[in-house]
Amino acid sequence: MKAVVAAGALGLVLISAVPASAAGDDVLFAFSDPTISEASALTPLGKGLYATTNDSGDSGRVFTVDSSGDTIGVTHWAADPVDVEGLAPAGDNHVWVGDIGDNNSVWDSIRIAKVRVGRGERTVSPTVYELVYPDGPHNAESLLAHPDGRVFVATKDWGGGRLYAVPKQLDPDSPNRLKEVAPVIPMATDGAFFPDGKHLVVRGYYSATIYAWPSMDRVGSFRTPDQEQGEAIGVTSQGEVVVTSEGIRAEVIRVDPELVGEVLGDKPSPTADPTPDADEPTAEDGGGDKGGDDGGSAGPIALVALAVAAYFIFRKRS
């Protein structure tokens, strides 16, 4: 127990040391619905609408929220999911929902379902697809969908996550085997593809990393806004990055477009690609990191990663 308290205390110190939001970040709205208390995913639906969902402890439901932060629709899709952590766009007013959170990495399989969202309240009974990792159980919070419709899961592992591809053709009656694609940052909390289909972004608690697709070369990283427990990220049809956090009346924030643009540009500014912190991979994590690290920074970075991860994991379980 003392170790837990110590990790939490160190985590609090590290949190206080994280720089605040960039000057160009823009608060779009705050969720007005207090039942959206643990937003763990955020998917822009277009026309100023967003889909979000609570994580473990809630019933299976997806909220549709407008640009003022009001809930204008709720889709009920399951009575007792285990730990819903991810959403991904599925086209035509639908989203993929991922019951993929496995904090102890013990599940034999994870599940995804495609549900309709939008204005109004509805109850649906979607086909639920069972997925299995090729290398044993993982915890995951990130569900992504390429513009071509292919779905991916990014794991939330301490030493470095992995991106896995969902089969193009899903069998509703048997487990569907995921295919390992490439490494991603450790402790990934969400991810999304850009509308060009040539880039994807994976976030942690304090920063996000952009990868080129399909090479999965690391393009660069940027700081995410300072929020209570940042677990969600989405990309609009205009290529704008939006994030939100757990907590009642959490804000949805558009990340400074210049910050993201510098990372995506041909010649990113050095300030747009900071030294990797708790959410970013070191060279030892692999993944085609173009940025590179000073080998002497590996120890402190690992310490920060472990402390922050421990703080949030034990906080969430308490």
Side-chain angles (χ1 to χ4, degrees), residues 82 182 220 264:
V82 182
L264 288 171

Side-chain angles (χ1 to χ4, degrees), residues 48-188:
L49 302 183
Y50 298 82
T52 190
T53 186
N54 290 322
D55 61 13
S56 59
D58 199 5
S59 60
R61 54 182 174 173
V62 180
F63 302 88
T64 299
V65 179
D66 66 15
S67 58
S68 65
D70 294 333
T71 297
I72 60 169
V74 181
T75 298
H76 302 270
W77 68 275
D80 55 352
V82 182
D83 189 359
V84 175
E85 290 282 2
L87 293 178
D92 192 27
N93 297 317
H94 284 74
V95 296
W96 287 103
V97 181
D99 191 0
I100 58 177
D102 179 12
N103 286 332
N104 296 318
S105 299
V106 295
W107 295 0
D108 293 331
S109 63
I110 57 176
R111 291 151 294 279
I112 62 172
K114 185 178 179 180
V115 306
R116 183 174 180 82
V117 294
R119 297 179 182 273
E121 190 159 358
R122 59 181 60 81
T123 299
V124 299
S125 299
T127 301
V128 177
Y129 299 98
E130 188 177 6
L131 310 176
V132 294
Y133 293 102
D135 54 349
H138 292 273
N139 183 27
E141 295 187 0
S142 308
L143 194 66
L144 305 83
H146 190 275
D148 68 6
R150 190 76 182 269
V151 180
F152 299 83
V153 177
T155 62
K156 184 182 182 182
D157 296 321
W158 287 49
R162 309 290 296 185
L163 185 70
Y164 293 84
V166 175
K168 292 182 179 179
Q169 299 296 325
L170 287 166
D171 185 341
D173 301 316
S174 301
N176 296 270
R177 188 178 178 86
L178 296 166
K179 181 180 179 181
E180 185 175 328
V181 177
V184 293
I185 61 171
M187 300 305 291

Side-chain angles (χ1 to χ4, degrees), residues 261-281:
E262 287 175 345
V263 176
L264 288 171
D266 292 334
K267 295 180 179 179
S269 167
T271 60
D273 189 10
T275 301
D277 58 17
D279 306 312
E280 300 171 19

Side-chain angles (χ1 to χ4, degrees), residues 189-214:
T189 62
D190 200 8
F193 274 89
F194 283 80
D196 64 3
K198 298 178 180 179
H199 300 89
L200 65 147
V201 59
V202 181
R203 76 162 295 176
Y205 289 115
Y206 303 117
S207 67
T209 297
I210 294 177
Y211 299 89
W213 182 259

Side-chain angles (χ1 to χ4, degrees), residues 241-253:
V241 175
V242 290
V243 298
T244 194
S245 165
E246 291 195 1
I248 295 176
R249 295 182 175 83
E251 294 176 333
V252 171
I253 301 174

